[in-house]
Structures are given as structure tokens and as C-alpha cells.
Amino acid sequence: MSNVELDGLRARLDEINEQLLELISERAQVVQEIGVVKEKQGVPKFDPEREKQMLEKLVAGNKGPFTSGTIRSLFKQIFSASLDLQSAEHKKSMLVSRKSHKEDTVIVLPGDVTVGGLSSLMVAGPCSVESELQTRTVAAALQKAGIRVMRGGAFKPRTSPYDFQGLGMDGLRILREAADEYGLLTISEIVDPAHLEPALDYVDIIQIGARNMQNFELLKAAGELNKPVLLKRGLAATMEEFLHAAEYIMSRGNTQVMLIERGIRTYEKWTRNTLDISAVPILKQESHLPVLVDVTHSTGRKDILIPCAKAALAAGADGIMVEVHPDPATALSDAAQQLNIEEFNTFFNEVKASGLYR
Ligand code: PRE
């Protein structure tokens, strides 16, 4: 083939490419519009029946030289790219997304304690509220260390129904009283939507635990509150599922949401869960919400809490959560992994000395 002939054919191809590009782009715009309509109607983006009909029509009209198989796979590729486009559009418009809200969300708690933004937050306290004495002992130690927010579980979703289930509302009352005595704020997990309203008098931050991350009725009910919510990542939740769970809360009007990575379930046995450090920068990139890391539950072992807390802060975490008990050996839950008060002081001092705690 002479060069003139080849050049001529290639020039025609260039023109066809341009036309194809224009058509593909026009198609993509229609796909985006369909995505918006589907979003409004709450119907799934993926529609296999519609794809089947289109493929059948295309194959029937195919005059060659491409085989039916090739036509199918070429268009299947287009459908799949279209779906990606629709979900990218959807992600952009999510309330949790950094694309819809560029600045970091800073949650302001009573007493001007902030979560997110320039300063780090250390949340500490017992796994479970067990007694007034235990809770007051921890509260006194936390106040002395300069901690502002105390955790303490009152409703404990335990793996076994025979394990300590928490003191319930009584536990919340004990937590509030100890916190008030020592000038601390409180955070505690609520597992039942019916307990949200009554808990408001006792907690400054409602925690939704890992096992309830996809308890959608609880998420929706928490979304109706005017109270900060700390949402834990589920045991086996992807980051996308985690952010969608946060979206449930935000979509109901409550914008005061904090995320907390608490380790995910993997095959690894030397830690209780696997601390997914990569989740921290990814969640910070994808979302404007504050991100904390629970070093106790993610690792389940005391000997690596300091490096894990430093790693979390270095990766961009806005805060750390750690469990402290006056006498961990006698604790009614998580006995092996809670720090005693002296260990907590060493832990907090070392984390502060790293320069990573702002
Ligand atoms: C479209 C995209 C994804 C669906 O699985 C089916 C079809 C397409 O690209 O043709 C468009 C679309 O969302 C739709 O027709 O419902």
C-alpha cells in the first residue's frame, strides 16, 4: 500500500474516531442524566434487563464485519464505563464527600472541645461502666492527665449473650455523674433507637458501634438528633460501606458525624483485628468528616498501642480512642486489652512527646 493510500485511510479513521468520541461523550451525558433520575427514584443504577435488551437489538442489527461476540463485549464495556460514571456522580453529590464540602468539618463540643481541624483529641475511658467507684477513679485520672472526653460503655453488644451486657441507663447515669464531677465530656454507645432520646441527657457524643454500623434504623434515628455521633467502622465493612453508613446519618440532617477506624477482620491472629491505617488517609481524602482511630479494639493488645497511635496520627487521624481501667485484670469486659492508669499516663505522654499529637 502506498503511503498516500495509507495516509488517506488513516485520515478517514481519524475522522471516524472524532465522530465516535463525540457520540460516546453525548451518550455519557445522557447516562449521567439517567443516573440523576435513578438517584431521585432510588432505583439501582445497574439494570441487567435493560443491558440485555440493548445487546439483543445491537446484535440483531449488526451487519459485520465484527462478530456478535465482539459487538457484545464492546458495548458491555461501554455499559460498564457508564455505570462507573453514574456512581462517580453519585459519590460527588454525597453529603459525606469532600467533593461536596471542601473544608474539614470541625465538631464543637461543650466547653469548646473540638474534633477535627487543628487539634488532636484523645478519648479515653473504660470499656464498660462497671461501678461508680471504677468510673470515678478513671475520671479523676483522666482529668489529671488533661483529657477532656471520657468513653464508657453502658449498653454492651457482646458476642456471647452470657457475657456482661452493661449497666444500661444506670451505666449512663454513673458515667455522666463521674464526668460532671471531673469536668469531662462523655461518649457512650447506644444500640437501640428507643434509647437515643433518653441518652441525650447523659452523653455528649452518641457512639454507634461496629456491629451496628449498618443498623439503618439506628443510623436514621441518630440522624434526627442534634447531637454529635461517633460512627465505628463495621467488622468487615469496606470504606465505601462505612461512608454510606455515615451518609444515612447526615442525610437526615445531623451533620455532626465523626468516623472511627477500629480494625477490620482478617486472617491475622496476632492482633484482635487488623488496624487499617490506610483507611485514615483515604477517609480523609474522600470525606471532610473527622477521623479517629480506636487503638484498643483494632489491636487488642497493649504492647503496640503507642506505635499504632503514632502511626494513626502520622497518617492524619484527628484523634485516638483508648481504653483505661483502674484494674484491668478484674474488668468485666476486654480485661486483656485495657490499660491501667499508670500505663495510660505513659501511653499519653509518649504519644504527646512524638510531636504528632497537635
Ligand atoms: C445504562 C447504564 C447502566 C445500566 O446497567 C443500563 C444501561 C447504559 O449505559 O446504557 C444506562 C442506564 O442507566 C439505563 O438505561 O438505565
Side-chain angles (χ1 to χ4, degrees):
M1 200 188 287
S2 74
N3 267 349
V4 180
E5 198 181 356
L6 180 62
D7 288 348
L9 289 171
R10 284 182 169 167
R12 263 178 64 201
L13 272 194
D14 284 341
E15 261 174 49
I16 294 170
N17 283 347
E18 262 177 51
Q19 288 166 4
L20 276 176
L21 181 63
E22 232 171 84
L23 281 173
I24 278 184
S25 306
E26 197 181 323
R27 188 185 196 283
Q29 277 168 19
V30 178
V31 160
Q32 280 176 323
E33 283 176 42
I34 292 180
V36 173
V37 174
K38 284 183 165 179
E39 192 65 39
K40 275 195 200 131
Q41 294 179 350
V43 296
K45 306 280 165 21
F46 180 49
D47 186 341
E49 197 44 46
R50 166 80 178 138
E51 292 194 7
K52 194 169 153 236
Q53 284 165 4
M54 286 189 289
L55 289 177
E56 275 166 12
K57 211 165 165 191
L58 287 159
V59 165
N62 176 30
K63 298 190 189 79
F66 279 135
T67 64
S68 301
T70 307
I71 290 296
R72 278 181 192 281
S73 69
L74 279 173
F75 275 88
K76 189 69 198 129
Q77 198 70 34
I78 291 175
F79 302 157
S80 152
S82 302
L83 273 175
D84 286 348
L85 201 61
Q86 287 177 343
S87 59
E89 275 304 301
H90 163 61
K91 263 199 202 150
K92 255 195 258 169
S93 64
M94 275 174 53
L95 297 166
V96 294
S97 170
R98 199 174 272 284
K99 296 202 174 82
S100 69
H101 187 287
K102 297 267 177 292
E103 288 80 37
D104 285 339
T105 283
V106 178
I107 294 171
V108 183
L109 301 167
D112 278 341
V113 176
T114 54
V115 194
L118 295 178
S119 52
S120 314
L121 182 78
M122 181 67 72
V123 179
C127 178
S128 300
V129 172
E130 298 168 4
S131 69
E132 285 181 12
L133 179 64
Q134 169 243 18
T135 312
R136 289 181 65 242
T137 308
V138 178
L142 297 183
Q143 184 208 42
K144 211 165 158 210
I147 296 294
R148 306 293 307 276
V149 184
M150 174 163 69
R151 56 149 292 136
F155 294 95
K156 302 297 299 177
R158 305 297 300 281
T159 304
S160 164
Y162 305 113
D163 286 341
F164 176 60
Q165 302 287 306
L167 299 180
M169 292 308 291
D170 232 13
L172 291 187
R173 179 189 53 78
I174 293 173
L175 181 69
R176 178 81 271 163
E177 284 172 9
D180 284 349
E181 188 176 342
Y182 293 96
L184 301 168
L185 301 175
T186 60
I187 171 162
S188 198
E189 176 172 359
I190 299 300
V191 297
D192 182 339
H195 291 145
L196 286 172
E197 280 291 330
L200 296 179
D201 292 337
Y202 303 102
V203 296
D204 297 297
I205 301 170
I206 301 269
Q207 180 177 308
I208 294 186
R211 286 166 181 79
N212 273 314
M213 190 204 84
Q214 286 185 316
N215 179 341
F216 299 115
E217 294 311 312
L218 183 62
L219 297 173
K220 286 186 216 166
E224 307 282 344
L225 305 175
N226 179 21
K227 190 68 116 179
V229 176
L230 178 71
L231 178 66
K232 284 200 154 191
R233 181 177 182 185
L235 314 184
T238 63
M239 291 181 234
E240 192 169 10
E241 288 163 342
F242 191 17
L243 288 179
H244 274 91
E247 185 77 8
Y248 260 91
I249 304 172
M250 293 192 72
S251 65
R252 294 285 166 136
N254 189 350
T255 54
Q256 304 178 82
V257 181
M258 298 159 246
L259 306 169
I260 181 159
E261 156 64 27
R262 47 80 68 205
I264 47 172
R265 190 165 273 186
T266 70
Y267 50 79
E268 183 52 64
K269 289 202 168 77
W270 287 1
T271 50
R272 179 171 168 179
N273 291 291
T274 295
L275 169 54
D276 183 6
I277 280 289
S278 68
V280 177
I282 293 177
L283 292 171
K284 295 286 302 177
Q285 254 175 53
E286 293 290 321
S287 173
H288 50 88
L289 299 175
V291 176
L292 285 80
V293 170
D294 177 342
V295 285
T296 301
H297 285 106
S298 52
T299 63
R301 47 190 289 174
K302 298 189 202 188
D303 57 337
I304 57 168
L305 293 184
I306 294 169
C308 288
K310 288 184 191 169
L313 292 168
D318 298 292
I320 302 292
M321 183 184 265
V322 66
E323 288 186 350
V324 190
H325 190 286
D327 182 14
T330 64
L332 295 176
S333 56
D334 286 359
Q337 66 191 33
Q338 302 196 60
L339 297 176
N340 67 29
I341 288 165
E342 197 187 329
E343 288 166 339
F344 169 71
N345 286 330
T346 307
F347 165 82
F348 191 33
N349 286 336
E350 288 225 17
V351 171
K352 281 190 291 189
S354 70
L356 295 160
Y357 190 85
R358 296 165 285 150

